[in-house]
Amino acid sequence: MAFVTVRQQELEGPPVSLAERAYTAIQDRLIMLDIPPMAPIDDTALAASLGLGRTPVREALKRLEVDRLVVSYPRRGTFATGVDITDLAYISEIRVQLEPLAARRAAETAGPGVKSELAELADEVADLDVRALERTELMRCDLRVHRAIYRAAGNPHLEDTLVRYDNLATRIFCLFLDRMPHFDRHVGEHTALLRAIAEGDADTAAELALVHVTGFEKAIRAII
């Protein structure tokens, strides 16, 4: 089953500005490491590849610098940020606090329609042959699940913060995926988490979210 990309989901909604289109597209390339860590970014070439002008691309790059996905140096240019394993501890320190909060809020406050959608998503994930998926498709599955939970939590500020740190965590996941022997278990954990939220079991949802985040950090540290 092909998961709709985060980029596609955002572009299928109401019309967005050229700068927003550029932001979403470049963000996707950075998260999926299509633009590798530390790679220089040529805004002219990037604009041409996206079929956009340089102005929206430059605006997007400024936003992505705030997101810590790119970094600009005077007289040197703009680069994709590196993936430093030190960042894993910093990112995890935030996610262990906020991911359980989002899962709990989603279980407690999401409406029946949203919970039904999460239950359907849980079934989709359960039916996946995770090891047969290509890397990009697997990453998009992971992103889709997390985005759905953040949105279901009903707090836009919490959602924005978690999206930013999940993007950074996903870059680490992409970088080390080929060396993770049990990545299918990590993805499979989403099923129970989604079902707990759909069933309104806030305590279990929060606990599973915490286990998921701490397990990810342990899995990465075990291979470095």
Side-chain angles (χ1 to χ4, degrees):
M1 178 179 296
F3 277 84
V4 176
T5 69
V6 173
R7 177 186 173 189
Q8 286 173 329
Q9 286 178 318
E10 292 176 1
L11 296 183
E12 285 172 359
V16 295
S17 68
L18 293 179
E20 187 67 29
R21 286 177 55 194
Y23 173 78
T24 304
I26 299 168
Q27 180 191 68
D28 185 80
R29 295 188 184 188
L30 290 162
I31 294 171
M32 295 298 160
L33 304 187
D34 294 330
I35 301 176
M38 302 303 294
I41 297 176
D42 182 336
D43 58 2
T44 302
L46 188 54
S49 72
L50 296 173
L52 297 170
R54 292 177 66 187
T55 298
V57 167
R58 287 177 174 175
E59 291 177 11
L61 290 173
K62 290 179 182 178
R63 287 179 62 187
L64 291 163
E65 187 165 12
V66 175
D67 293 343
R68 297 184 180 273
L69 289 171
V70 303
V71 58
S72 296
Y73 299 103
R75 297 181 295 280
R76 288 183 56 194
T78 301
F79 299 80
T81 54
V83 177
D84 189 333
I85 198 59
T86 303
D87 291 338
L88 177 63
Y90 297 146
I91 293 167
S92 295
E93 186 176 29
I94 296 168
R95 294 181 75 213
V96 295
Q97 300 297 324
L98 299 187
E99 293 272 356
L101 173 62
R104 178 178 294 279
R105 278 189 56 86
E108 291 175 341
T109 66
V114 172
K115 287 182 176 177
S116 177
E117 291 175 0
L118 294 179
E120 292 176 5
L121 182 54
D123 291 340
E124 290 182 34
V125 174
D127 290 341
L128 285 175
D129 182 354
V130 175
R131 289 195 170 272
L133 296 179
E134 294 183 354
R135 187 196 73 171
T136 298
E137 192 173 11
L138 178 64
M139 292 297 99
R140 297 200 193 290
C141 169
D142 188 80
L143 285 169
R144 182 184 172 192
V145 169
H146 284 277
R147 297 296 191 274
I149 294 171
Y150 304 157
R151 193 173 303 113
N155 181 331
H157 300 288
L158 176 62
E159 180 181 357
D160 288 348
T161 301
L162 277 169
V163 165
R164 176 179 297 180
Y165 288 101
D166 187 49
N167 286 343
L168 297 174
T170 301
R171 294 182 83 220
I172 296 173
F173 198 179
C174 283
L175 189 64
F176 291 100
L177 177 63
D178 292 341
R179 296 166 57 189
M180 292 178 66
H182 304 300
F183 66 85
D184 53 332
R185 297 180 190 173
H186 179 74
V187 176
E189 290 172 1
H190 290 143
T191 301
L193 174 56
L194 288 165
R195 286 177 176 160
I197 295 171
E199 293 166 4
D201 188 343
D203 289 341
T204 298
E207 181 181 354
L208 291 174
L210 178 60
V211 169
H212 184 67
V213 173
T214 55
F216 174 72
E217 181 179 11
K218 291 177 181 176
I220 296 298
R221 291 196 179 282
I223 58 176
I224 59 176

